Amino acid sequence: CATFTEQLAAQGGTPPYTWTLSSIAIGSSTPQVVALSPSGLFSFYSSSVYSNTIALQVSDAAGASTTKTVALATISEDLTIKAPSPLSCEVNSTCTFNLSSIGGCPPFSFSLDSAVPNCTSSLTDAGLLTTECAELGEYPIAVTLRDSQDHQTAVSLTLHIHASDFHFTTNSLPD
C-alpha cells in the first residue's frame, strides 16, 4: 500500500491559483485513489504496486495555465512481523508484548497458530500478546499476520520464562 499527501505550489502569474488533474491513467485491476483539490492538495492511495504518469495543471486568476507531467510509483514492501526481543516473562506472571506489522496493507490481523505449552496465551488482531506461564522454560509461539489483501506471513518466536528476581523488599531498619 502507498498513501501520501502533498501540498503543491506554483510561482509567478496572478494568484490565486486553481489546480486540476489534466490527465491520468489508472489500471482497472488495481484500486487507486488520486485526488487534487482546487487549492493544490494532492492525495494518492494505491493498494498494490503501481507505476504511471499524471498531468497536473495550475491556472492563475488571469487565465494563464501551465501543465507538468509527473511519475507516480509505489514499491512492494514485504509483510513482516516485528516483535520485541527477547520475549521474557517471570513464571506465574501475566506479561504483555506488542507485535507490529511492517509492509502490507491495513487493516491487519494477528493470530496464534497453536497453543503455547504450559501457558495461557491470547493474541488480539491488533498484535497484543498476553501470556502467563506456570513453568520455567522456553516455549515456542507461532504467529501469523494477514493484511487486507490476504497476504500473510508467519514467524516462530521463543518465549523465555524465568524465575522471579530474588531481592530485598525492606528499604530501612528502625533506629
Side-chain angles (χ1 to χ4, degrees):
C1 289
T3 303
F4 64 86
T5 301
E6 181 76 26
Q7 179 64 53
L8 304 179
Q11 182 177 339
T14 307
Y17 305 115
T18 302
W19 296 85
T20 56
L21 288 169
S22 59
S23 71
I24 187 166
I26 296 178
S28 60
S29 63
T30 314
Q32 287 97 20
V33 176
V34 177
L36 179 60
S37 73
S39 63
L41 185 62
F42 178 79
S43 300
F44 174 78
Y45 167 80
S46 178
S47 62
S48 64
V49 176
Y50 174 81
S51 178
N52 216 324
T53 58
I54 62 170
L56 303 169
Q57 183 177 36
V58 61
S59 302
D60 72 1
S65 66
T66 185
T67 301
K68 182 172 186 171
T69 301
V70 296
L72 287 177
T74 64
I75 57 172
S76 174
E77 189 173 355
D78 292 335
L79 186 60
T80 306
I81 298 171
K82 182 178 176 184
S85 181
L87 294 179
S88 184
C89 187
E90 287 184 3
V91 68
N92 294 319
S93 295
T94 300
C95 296
T96 58
F97 305 96
N98 287 308
L99 307 182
S100 60
S101 60
I102 298 173
C105 296
F108 301 101
S109 175
F110 286 88
S111 62
L112 285 174
D113 294 339
S114 60
V116 181
N118 301 312
C119 302
T120 302
S121 301
S122 65
L123 179 60
T124 67
D125 280 346
L128 183 65
L129 173 64
T130 304
T131 189
E132 182 176 337
C133 300
E135 294 183 25
L136 301 174
E138 293 189 353
Y139 301 102
I141 300 177
V143 174
T144 296
L145 171 64
R146 287 180 182 77
D147 74 359
S148 64
Q149 302 301 304
D150 208 26
H151 299 120
Q152 69 178 32
T153 189
V155 66
S156 181
L157 306 171
T158 301
L159 177 62
H160 303 277
I161 303 301
H162 57 86
S164 61
D165 294 331
F166 180 60
H167 60 276
F168 274 98
T169 58
T170 303
N171 293 327
S172 64
L173 298 174
D175 292 333

